[in-house]
Structure formats: structure tokens, C-alpha cells
Amino acid sequence: MKILKFGGTSVGTPDRMKQIAQLVQTPGRKVVVLSALSGTTNTLVEITEYLYQNQSELAIKHISTLKTHYEQFTKTLLQSEIGKQKATQILEEHFKTLLVFANDIDAFTEKEEKIILAQGEMLSTKIFHAYLEEQNIKSTFLSALHFMKTGEEGEPDLNFIEATLNQEIKEYPETMLFITQGYICLNAAGSIDNLKRGGSDYSASLIGAALRAEEIQIWTDIDGMHNSDPRIVKNTKPVAELSFEEAAELAYFGAKILHPATIHPAQQYNIPVRLLNTMQPEALGTTIKELTDAQPVIKSIAAKDQITAIKIKSTRMLMAYGFLRKIFEIFESYKTPIDMITTSEVAVSLTIDNDAHLAEIVAELEKFGNVEIDHEQSIVCVVGDFVAEQLGTAAQVFDALKSIPVRMISFGGSRHNISVLISTKDKNDALVRLHQRLF
Ligand code: ADP
Ligand code: ASP
Ligand code: MG
């Protein structure tokens, strides 16, 4: 079994959808996981924002524009009478759902928001399935809401996913091609939910792990993981191979091509993940797998924005033990992960990317000493295999950044990453300089 996930741009026009219908017809059994058409989830997010603000007229206007887009899309894609009827039914059903909430905003809560956000993937998979049917390409439609589930902590429940999905697949022994939605799931309460923005990659790897797939393919609009962010740096190049650890660091520290959690389920069952380009299917892309004979090289650089740095200065820290534990417990109690940490004799600096509980955290930290906060920080993360004997890597990184104020440095936590914290306003400059110096 192979898993093939196609992102928003890969299904974003009728021509691209026709093209992926070709791509999925190679021999072998597969599960095809689709995102919403490009732009759809953003529009759905806007609609929910209007509904939260009681602006139902604006929400309805956006729903109507979106519907026109889908009408044109399906008119171009589907040619047969049956196909056109199917499209009308699909659009009726899902746009009716959107309008129901828009017309009853008094009852608008997170639950309704999540239902709205789920419509994009429902639409794309149903439209694609209708197109395959029209082309006489046999496929089975699976609703991700049957098997994709998160538990009490909001984390995917892989045991449930594995049991339910395998059972469902067993019911179709003849089927070679399954179609399902990325991103959407049911939560512990049984309500519709999602795996956060960009979550279709994560769906694909969870499905791959559940089915012990031989390979997970992530098809997108670029030929693999590049050695820096192509939106910021010119002349970046695809990296042919990455270890699971390297790919996980890059995804976690901001490489948008992969949802941050994608690697873990694949790595757990040692399933290779390939990043491929729908617009250039013959390109090699990037293969992420267990690398045993890794060469000590710098592979790629990523950056993560919206980081908050917190410094706690305390003379009570001097020669004291147990101080860090007390600090960490505060973050733990607010379920706020720490990304970077540096310490000195009298101060500790750390970073978080989720500042939802910042005020409460600061109030508790102030019991220990003086607290300073810096907003709008970015972590720039250089990823590769830095074996200890490989001298000079850190020197090269700092040489490249010598004109940029560096707030924190982290090296040695793993052999895969050197991270620095800088002000976000310096980020583009830092990425360009690092690319010039390191590649
Ligand atoms: P999809 O809709 O297929 O999920 P995304 O937009 O989520 O696609 O991810 C692909 C985009 O990620 C690329 O178009 C590129 O601009 C961006 N990106 C950021 N960093 C990198 C990187 N290091 N390598 C490749 N692409 C990257
Ligand atoms: N459609 C969702 C989003 O735009 C999920 C995804 O594309 O991966 O975030
Ligand atoms: Mg994506």
C-alpha cells in the first residue's frame, strides 16, 4: 500500500485535478489523501471570523463567492450529465451546511467553526471521486471522519485509527484506489475537528503508519525540501535525502512544506516519506528515510516566526538546585511547550511559540525574579548531521550572522541542529547570509 497526499495547489484547478487522476493510476494499491482546493481553507477561516463577529451578511457574501468558484470548477472538470448532476448535489449539500450556520449565528461556537473548516476537504474529495467515476476509474470513497480520531489531549489516537481504518479497508478487497480527506477528524467528544492548518500531511503519515504502508508520498508545488525557504532566499535547491530526525527538525522549525508533526508516525514504522512535485512529476524530490551512513553536512535551514523569548533573572538561582524544575513546572501547568533554552548562573532564557497563557505564566514566574519578555522573535535553525569531529560548522554559522544581533544560541542538544534566536525583522537578512555562506 502507498499513500499519496496532494496539497491545495495540486488540486487547485480542473487541469491539475485531471493530472492527478493520471498520477494515481500507477500499479499497486493506494490511499489518496486530498487537501481542500487552494484558497478554500483560508476563505472558510475568514467566514468563521465574520460569524464570530456577528457579521453574517459578509459571511454569506463570501460563501456565495466561494460557491461560484466551485460551480465554475466543476463545470470545467465534469462533462457528463451524471457528472454534472453529481456536482450539483455535492455543492448543494456542502454549501447548505455553510449557510445554515451563517443564518444562525447566535449559536456560533468552536464546534460550528470546526464543521465549517471541514467542508473544504469534503468538497475536494467528493469532486475528485465524481471525476474518477466519470472517467471510469474505479475508486472507493472513505470518510476520514470514520477513522481519523484525536484523544483527550487533542493528539491523534493511532490505536483507534489503525483498528478502524484496517477494518474499513478490509471491506473492499477488490479496491485498488481509496480516496479520503486530509486535515479533518473527530475529536474525543465525537465532534468534527481538524489536525490544524497544513494538517493533511499529518493525516497522510498517520494513515501510512496505520496501514504500515511501504511509502508515503507528499505531492506539492515544489520539487522537495529545499536547502532554505524559497519564498525568502533565491537559488535554493532541493535536498535529495534527509534522515527522519533532520526532516522533523526542519518541519518543526518552520519549513512550511511539511506539517510539523508529519514525520513521527512515519518514523515509528520506518516508512519512507517522499516529497514530490505535481507540476514536475519526474523530478526526484526529497526522500526522508533512515540514513545509516549519513555524511556530516549541512542540509537545510528553516525559520519559525512568532516566537516569544522570556528571561527570568534571579539571584536565588545562584548555586541553587531545583530552580529550573520549578520554572518548567509553570510552563507544564499551562501546557506550553518550550523550544529553546539557555542558562547562566543568574538567569535563564527560554522561548515559546504559543503565547496563549503568557500573562498567567509571567505572573507566576515573577515570584522567582525579574522577568523580561521579547516579542516578534524568530528561531533560525540550521539542520544537518554535525558529528562532533566536524569542526567549524558553528563557526561558519556565526560568521554568516556576524552583522546580526543574536539573542540566544542553542547547539549540542542534538547532533542535527544549531538554532539561533533573532529579531524577526532580521530574519530574511539572516537566511540570505546563511545561504550564501553555507551553500
Ligand atoms: P501544500 O498546499 O501542497 O500542502 P504548502 O504550501 O503547504 O503546500 O507547502 C509547499 C510550500 O512550502 C512551497 O511552495 C514553498 O513555498 C514552501 N516552503 C517553505 N520552506 C520550504 C523548503 N525548505 N523547501 C520547500 N518548500 C518550502
Ligand atoms: N486545507 C488545510 C489547510 O489549508 C489542510 C492542508 O491543506 O493541509 O490548512
Ligand atoms: Mg501544506
Side-chain angles (χ1 to χ4, degrees), residues 12-51:
T13 65
D15 279 343
R16 293 239 189 287
M17 227 183 225
K18 289 180 187 172
Q19 192 198 348
I20 68 166
Q22 297 300 316
L23 284 172
V24 301
Q25 284 187 75
T26 49
R29 250 183 143 195
K30 41 186 91 70
V31 179
V32 172
V33 179
L34 300 186
S35 294
L37 312 196
S38 54
T40 297
T41 311
N42 286 345
T43 305
L44 295 173
V45 169
E46 273 178 58
I47 291 168
T48 62
E49 283 165 359
Y50 288 128
L51 294 176

Short mmCIF file of all heavy atoms in Angstrom, two decimals, residues 12-51:
data_model
loop_
_atom_site.label_atom_id
_atom_site.label_comp_id
_atom_site.label_asym_id
_atom_site.label_seq_id
_atom_site.Cartn_x
_atom_site.Cartn_y
_atom_site.Cartn_z
N GLY A 12 -5.89 22.42 -7.16
CA GLY A 12 -6.46 23.76 -7.20
C GLY A 12 -7.14 24.18 -8.48
O GLY A 12 -7.91 25.15 -8.49
N THR A 13 -6.87 23.50 -9.61
CA THR A 13 -7.56 23.83 -10.86
C THR A 13 -8.07 22.53 -11.48
O THR A 13 -7.55 21.45 -11.19
CB THR A 13 -6.60 24.49 -11.88
OG1 THR A 13 -5.60 23.52 -12.25
CG2 THR A 13 -5.92 25.74 -11.33
N PRO A 14 -9.08 22.62 -12.36
CA PRO A 14 -9.58 21.40 -13.01
C PRO A 14 -8.46 20.64 -13.74
O PRO A 14 -8.41 19.41 -13.68
CB PRO A 14 -10.63 21.93 -13.98
CG PRO A 14 -11.10 23.21 -13.35
CD PRO A 14 -9.90 23.80 -12.70
N ASP A 15 -7.55 21.38 -14.38
CA ASP A 15 -6.46 20.69 -15.10
C ASP A 15 -5.57 19.91 -14.15
O ASP A 15 -5.14 18.80 -14.44
CB ASP A 15 -5.61 21.70 -15.88
CG ASP A 15 -6.29 22.06 -17.20
OD1 ASP A 15 -7.20 21.30 -17.61
OD2 ASP A 15 -5.92 23.09 -17.80
N ARG A 16 -5.26 20.51 -13.01
CA ARG A 16 -4.41 19.80 -12.05
C ARG A 16 -5.13 18.55 -11.51
O ARG A 16 -4.52 17.51 -11.32
CB ARG A 16 -4.09 20.70 -10.87
CG ARG A 16 -3.23 21.85 -11.20
CD ARG A 16 -1.94 21.84 -10.40
NE ARG A 16 -1.23 23.09 -10.60
CZ ARG A 16 -0.60 23.43 -11.70
NH1 ARG A 16 -0.56 22.60 -12.74
NH2 ARG A 16 0.00 24.59 -11.80
N MET A 17 -6.42 18.67 -11.30
CA MET A 17 -7.15 17.50 -10.82
C MET A 17 -7.13 16.38 -11.85
O MET A 17 -6.97 15.21 -11.52
CB MET A 17 -8.58 17.89 -10.47
CG MET A 17 -8.97 17.35 -9.12
SD MET A 17 -10.65 17.67 -8.69
CE MET A 17 -10.45 18.20 -7.02
N LYS A 18 -7.22 16.78 -13.13
CA LYS A 18 -7.14 15.77 -14.19
C LYS A 18 -5.76 15.13 -14.18
O LYS A 18 -5.62 13.92 -14.37
CB LYS A 18 -7.39 16.43 -15.56
CG LYS A 18 -8.84 16.84 -15.76
CD LYS A 18 -9.03 17.48 -17.12
CE LYS A 18 -10.43 18.04 -17.24
NZ LYS A 18 -10.63 18.84 -18.45
N GLN A 19 -4.77 15.97 -13.95
CA GLN A 19 -3.39 15.45 -13.94
C GLN A 19 -3.18 14.47 -12.78
O GLN A 19 -2.54 13.43 -12.96
CB GLN A 19 -2.45 16.64 -13.82
CG GLN A 19 -1.01 16.29 -14.08
CD GLN A 19 -0.09 17.38 -13.53
OE1 GLN A 19 -0.56 18.47 -13.17
NE2 GLN A 19 1.18 17.07 -13.44
N ILE A 20 -3.73 14.78 -11.62
CA ILE A 20 -3.50 13.83 -10.51
C ILE A 20 -4.31 12.54 -10.72
O ILE A 20 -3.89 11.48 -10.27
CB ILE A 20 -3.69 14.45 -9.11
CG1 ILE A 20 -5.12 14.80 -8.81
CG2 ILE A 20 -2.77 15.61 -8.85
CD1 ILE A 20 -5.33 15.06 -7.33
N ALA A 21 -5.40 12.65 -11.47
CA ALA A 21 -6.13 11.41 -11.80
C ALA A 21 -5.22 10.49 -12.62
O ALA A 21 -5.32 9.26 -12.53
CB ALA A 21 -7.40 11.74 -12.57
N GLN A 22 -4.32 11.07 -13.42
CA GLN A 22 -3.34 10.26 -14.14
C GLN A 22 -2.29 9.70 -13.17
O GLN A 22 -1.95 8.53 -13.20
CB GLN A 22 -2.60 11.11 -15.21
CG GLN A 22 -3.50 11.65 -16.30
CD GLN A 22 -4.18 10.53 -17.08
OE1 GLN A 22 -3.54 9.55 -17.43
NE2 GLN A 22 -5.48 10.68 -17.30
N LEU A 23 -1.80 10.58 -12.29
CA LEU A 23 -0.72 10.19 -11.38
C LEU A 23 -1.12 9.04 -10.45
O LEU A 23 -0.26 8.26 -10.04
CB LEU A 23 -0.28 11.39 -10.52
CG LEU A 23 0.58 12.44 -11.21
CD1 LEU A 23 0.76 13.65 -10.29
CD2 LEU A 23 1.94 11.85 -11.57
N VAL A 24 -2.40 8.95 -10.11
CA VAL A 24 -2.80 7.91 -9.14
C VAL A 24 -3.07 6.56 -9.81
O VAL A 24 -3.43 5.60 -9.13
CB VAL A 24 -4.03 8.34 -8.30
CG1 VAL A 24 -3.73 9.62 -7.54
CG2 VAL A 24 -5.28 8.50 -9.15
N GLN A 25 -2.88 6.50 -11.12
CA GLN A 25 -3.21 5.24 -11.80
C GLN A 25 -2.03 4.30 -12.02
O GLN A 25 -2.14 3.34 -12.77
CB GLN A 25 -3.84 5.56 -13.14
CG GLN A 25 -5.27 6.02 -12.99
CD GLN A 25 -5.91 6.16 -14.34
OE1 GLN A 25 -6.26 5.17 -14.97
NE2 GLN A 25 -6.02 7.38 -14.80
N THR A 26 -0.92 4.58 -11.37
CA THR A 26 0.21 3.65 -11.46
C THR A 26 -0.18 2.34 -10.76
O THR A 26 -1.11 2.33 -9.96
CB THR A 26 1.44 4.27 -10.78
OG1 THR A 26 1.04 4.75 -9.51
CG2 THR A 26 2.04 5.39 -11.61
N PRO A 27 0.52 1.23 -11.08
CA PRO A 27 0.13 -0.04 -10.46
C PRO A 27 0.28 -0.02 -8.93
O PRO A 27 1.06 0.75 -8.39
CB PRO A 27 1.12 -1.05 -11.06
CG PRO A 27 1.75 -0.38 -12.23
CD PRO A 27 1.65 1.09 -12.00
N GLY A 28 -0.48 -0.87 -8.29
CA GLY A 28 -0.38 -1.00 -6.82
C GLY A 28 -1.56 -0.36 -6.11
O GLY A 28 -2.21 0.54 -6.64
N ARG A 29 -1.80 -0.84 -4.89
CA ARG A 29 -2.91 -0.33 -4.09
C ARG A 29 -2.51 0.98 -3.44
O ARG A 29 -1.38 1.11 -2.97
CB ARG A 29 -3.20 -1.34 -2.98
CG ARG A 29 -4.50 -2.06 -3.17
CD ARG A 29 -4.76 -2.97 -2.02
NE ARG A 29 -6.20 -2.95 -1.76
CZ ARG A 29 -6.76 -3.39 -0.66
NH1 ARG A 29 -6.03 -3.86 0.33
NH2 ARG A 29 -8.07 -3.35 -0.52
N LYS A 30 -3.42 1.92 -3.40
CA LYS A 30 -3.06 3.18 -2.75
C LYS A 30 -4.24 3.89 -2.08
O LYS A 30 -5.39 3.69 -2.47
CB LYS A 30 -2.34 4.13 -3.71
CG LYS A 30 -2.90 4.18 -5.12
CD LYS A 30 -2.03 5.04 -6.01
CE LYS A 30 -0.94 4.29 -6.74
NZ LYS A 30 -1.47 3.41 -7.80
N VAL A 31 -3.88 4.69 -1.09
CA VAL A 31 -4.85 5.61 -0.49
C VAL A 31 -4.44 7.02 -0.91
O VAL A 31 -3.30 7.43 -0.70
CB VAL A 31 -4.85 5.54 1.06
CG1 VAL A 31 -5.86 6.54 1.64
CG2 VAL A 31 -5.16 4.14 1.54
N VAL A 32 -5.37 7.73 -1.54
CA VAL A 32 -5.11 9.10 -1.97
C VAL A 32 -5.75 10.04 -0.95
O VAL A 32 -6.94 9.92 -0.65
CB VAL A 32 -5.68 9.34 -3.38
CG1 VAL A 32 -5.60 10.81 -3.76
CG2 VAL A 32 -4.92 8.49 -4.39
N VAL A 33 -4.93 10.93 -0.40
CA VAL A 33 -5.40 11.87 0.63
C VAL A 33 -5.38 13.27 0.01
O VAL A 33 -4.36 13.69 -0.52
CB VAL A 33 -4.45 11.84 1.85
CG1 VAL A 33 -4.90 12.83 2.92
CG2 VAL A 33 -4.33 10.43 2.42
N LEU A 34 -6.52 13.95 0.03
CA LEU A 34 -6.56 15.28 -0.59
C LEU A 34 -6.78 16.38 0.43
O LEU A 34 -7.52 16.23 1.40
CB LEU A 34 -7.69 15.37 -1.62
CG LEU A 34 -7.68 14.41 -2.81
CD1 LEU A 34 -8.81 14.77 -3.78
CD2 LEU A 34 -6.35 14.42 -3.55
N SER A 35 -6.13 17.53 0.14
CA SER A 35 -6.42 18.78 0.86
C SER A 35 -7.62 19.44 0.18
O SER A 35 -8.06 18.99 -0.87
CB SER A 35 -5.26 19.75 0.73
OG SER A 35 -4.13 19.28 1.37
N ALA A 36 -8.04 20.55 0.74
CA ALA A 36 -9.05 21.39 0.07
C ALA A 36 -8.39 22.10 -1.11
O ALA A 36 -7.17 22.27 -1.13
CB ALA A 36 -9.58 22.40 1.07
N LEU A 37 -9.19 22.53 -2.10
CA LEU A 37 -8.64 23.32 -3.20
C LEU A 37 -7.94 24.55 -2.63
O LEU A 37 -8.41 25.13 -1.65
CB LEU A 37 -9.75 23.83 -4.14
CG LEU A 37 -10.84 22.89 -4.66
CD1 LEU A 37 -11.54 23.54 -5.85
CD2 LEU A 37 -10.32 21.54 -5.03
N SER A 38 -6.84 24.96 -3.28
CA SER A 38 -6.05 26.07 -2.72
C SER A 38 -6.93 27.30 -2.49
O SER A 38 -7.79 27.63 -3.30
CB SER A 38 -4.89 26.43 -3.64
OG SER A 38 -5.36 26.68 -4.93
N GLY A 39 -6.74 27.94 -1.37
CA GLY A 39 -7.51 29.14 -1.02
C GLY A 39 -8.78 28.84 -0.24
O GLY A 39 -9.29 29.71 0.47
N THR A 40 -9.29 27.61 -0.36
CA THR A 40 -10.58 27.33 0.27
C THR A 40 -10.52 27.44 1.79
O THR A 40 -11.37 28.09 2.42
CB THR A 40 -11.10 25.94 -0.14
OG1 THR A 40 -11.31 25.93 -1.54
CG2 THR A 40 -12.40 25.59 0.57
N THR A 41 -9.53 26.80 2.41
CA THR A 41 -9.49 26.82 3.88
C THR A 41 -9.32 28.25 4.39
O THR A 41 -9.94 28.65 5.37
CB THR A 41 -8.41 25.87 4.43
OG1 THR A 41 -8.57 24.60 3.78
CG2 THR A 41 -8.53 25.68 5.93
N ASN A 42 -8.49 29.04 3.68
CA ASN A 42 -8.36 30.46 4.08
C ASN A 42 -9.71 31.16 4.04
O ASN A 42 -10.07 31.90 4.95
CB ASN A 42 -7.40 31.20 3.15
CG ASN A 42 -5.94 30.82 3.42
OD1 ASN A 42 -5.64 30.25 4.46
ND2 ASN A 42 -5.07 31.14 2.51
N THR A 43 -10.48 30.92 2.96
CA THR A 43 -11.80 31.55 2.86
C THR A 43 -12.73 31.06 3.96
O THR A 43 -13.47 31.85 4.57
CB THR A 43 -12.42 31.27 1.47
OG1 THR A 43 -11.49 31.68 0.48
CG2 THR A 43 -13.73 32.00 1.27
N LEU A 44 -12.68 29.78 4.26
CA LEU A 44 -13.53 29.25 5.33
C LEU A 44 -13.16 29.87 6.68
O LEU A 44 -14.03 30.18 7.49
CB LEU A 44 -13.44 27.72 5.38
CG LEU A 44 -13.98 26.98 4.14
CD1 LEU A 44 -13.68 25.48 4.22
CD2 LEU A 44 -15.49 27.20 3.96
N VAL A 45 -11.85 30.06 6.89
CA VAL A 45 -11.41 30.71 8.13
C VAL A 45 -12.00 32.12 8.20
O VAL A 45 -12.54 32.54 9.24
CB VAL A 45 -9.86 30.76 8.23
CG1 VAL A 45 -9.41 31.66 9.36
CG2 VAL A 45 -9.28 29.35 8.40
N GLU A 46 -11.92 32.85 7.08
CA GLU A 46 -12.50 34.21 7.05
C GLU A 46 -13.99 34.19 7.38
O GLU A 46 -14.48 35.02 8.15
CB GLU A 46 -12.35 34.81 5.65
CG GLU A 46 -11.04 35.52 5.41
CD GLU A 46 -10.97 36.02 3.97
OE1 GLU A 46 -11.85 36.81 3.56
OE2 GLU A 46 -10.05 35.58 3.25
N ILE A 47 -14.69 33.21 6.80
CA ILE A 47 -16.13 33.11 7.04
C ILE A 47 -16.40 32.91 8.54
O ILE A 47 -17.26 33.57 9.13
CB ILE A 47 -16.74 31.96 6.19
CG1 ILE A 47 -16.70 32.36 4.71
CG2 ILE A 47 -18.17 31.64 6.63
CD1 ILE A 47 -16.98 31.24 3.73
N THR A 48 -15.61 32.04 9.16
CA THR A 48 -15.83 31.81 10.60
C THR A 48 -15.53 33.07 11.40
O THR A 48 -16.20 33.36 12.39
CB THR A 48 -14.97 30.64 11.16
OG1 THR A 48 -13.60 30.96 11.00
CG2 THR A 48 -15.27 29.33 10.46
N GLU A 49 -14.52 33.84 10.94
CA GLU A 49 -14.21 35.08 11.66
C GLU A 49 -15.38 36.06 11.59
O GLU A 49 -15.74 36.69 12.59
CB GLU A 49 -12.93 35.71 11.11
CG GLU A 49 -11.69 34.96 11.62
CD GLU A 49 -10.40 35.28 10.86
OE1 GLU A 49 -10.45 36.07 9.89
OE2 GLU A 49 -9.36 34.72 11.22
N TYR A 50 -16.00 36.16 10.40
CA TYR A 50 -17.18 37.03 10.28
C TYR A 50 -18.30 36.55 11.21
O TYR A 50 -18.99 37.34 11.83
CB TYR A 50 -17.68 37.07 8.83
CG TYR A 50 -16.78 37.86 7.91
CD1 TYR A 50 -16.31 37.30 6.72
CD2 TYR A 50 -16.40 39.16 8.23
CE1 TYR A 50 -15.48 38.02 5.88
CE2 TYR A 50 -15.56 39.88 7.39
CZ TYR A 50 -15.11 39.31 6.22
OH TYR A 50 -14.29 40.02 5.40
N LEU A 51 -18.47 35.24 11.28
CA LEU A 51 -19.56 34.72 12.10
C LEU A 51 -19.32 34.95 13.59
O LEU A 51 -20.25 35.26 14.32
CB LEU A 51 -19.80 33.24 11.78
CG LEU A 51 -20.31 33.02 10.34
CD1 LEU A 51 -20.43 31.55 10.03
CD2 LEU A 51 -21.67 33.71 10.13
#
